[in-house]
């Protein structure tokens, strides 16, 4: 995990994280900006097959942050796990594949929370 703090900038933190699983690599980027004294967070996730450079799934997640970073990430992870479970049990091959990919993104996001320090986890995010 790469965490950078910026002083005297609109960007407050950037978090870059790559997690490698058996079949996929998940790349996550999070940019936390200061906009008129409000913190705005942009979260990006890509999933890439191992031994390939092709990105299968790219997402930008936008949340209405009214809680701590840690709580908002947990809510996003729970939502992704629910979507993943629903897709994997849909009897649709395309949705099943998306469900598997979402489950890996949720796992990687969980791992980010384990590795970030308390100051980042508990930083107040007002909106996106």
């Amino acid at each position: 995990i790469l965490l950078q703090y910026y002083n005297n900038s609109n960007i407050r933190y950037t978090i870059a994280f790559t997690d490698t699983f058996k079949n996929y690599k998940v790349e996550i980027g999070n940019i936390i900006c200061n906009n008129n004294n409000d913190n705005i967070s942009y979260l990006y996730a890509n999933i890439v097959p191992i031994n390939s450079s092709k990105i299968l799934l790219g997402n930008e997640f936008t949340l209405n942050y009214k809680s701590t970073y840690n709580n908002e990430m947990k809510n996003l992870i729970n939502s992704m796990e629910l979507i993943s479970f629903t897709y994997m049990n849909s009897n649709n091959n395309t949705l099943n594949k998306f469900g598997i990919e979402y489950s890996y993104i949720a796992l990687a996001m969980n791992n980010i929370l384990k590795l970030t320090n308390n100051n980042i986890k508990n930083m107040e995010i007002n909106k996106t």
Side-chain angles (χ1 to χ4, degrees):
I1 190 166
L2 172 64
L3 170 66
Q4 293 182 312
Y5 174 74
Y6 297 84
N7 209 359
N8 300 324
S9 170
N10 284 343
I11 298 174
R12 297 196 53 188
Y13 295 95
T14 60
I15 300 171
F17 180 74
T18 301
D19 209 348
T20 304
F21 301 96
K22 182 179 178 186
N23 297 317
Y24 295 103
K25 176 173 62 173
V26 178
E27 301 166 338
I28 296 177
N30 195 355
I31 302 169
I32 301 165
C33 302
N34 185 353
N35 183 18
N36 297 326
N37 295 322
D38 289 333
N39 293 318
I40 300 173
S41 182
Y42 305 97
L43 184 68
Y44 304 91
N46 294 320
I47 187 161
V48 182
I50 295 294
N51 300 323
S52 172
S53 61
K54 181 181 176 187
I55 296 174
L56 290 183
L57 187 63
N59 286 281
E60 177 181 350
F61 298 98
T62 353
L63 298 172
N64 184 11
Y65 285 101
K66 295 189 179 187
S67 182
T68 62
Y69 180 80
N70 188 40
N71 288 341
E72 292 300 329
M73 283 291 285
K74 283 182 179 177
N75 288 336
L76 176 59
I77 291 164
N78 289 340
S79 297
M80 291 195 64
E81 287 172 343
L82 181 61
I83 291 168
S84 172
F85 181 76
T86 303
Y87 282 2
M88 286 192 287
N89 291 297
S90 68
N91 294 322
N92 178 306
N93 288 341
T94 302
L95 289 180
N96 184 280
K97 185 176 183 205
F98 281 136
I100 292 167
E101 292 170 1
Y102 277 125
S103 69
Y104 281 110
I105 291 173
L107 284 169
M109 287 180 176
N110 252 324
N111 289 334
I112 285 178
L113 286 181
K114 293 176 191 171
L115 295 174
T116 52
N117 66 38
N118 269 346
N119 291 334
I120 301 303
K121 281 192 201 178
N122 297 320
M123 187 176 69
E124 192 71 24
I125 307 288
N126 301 319
K127 65 181 179 179
T128 60

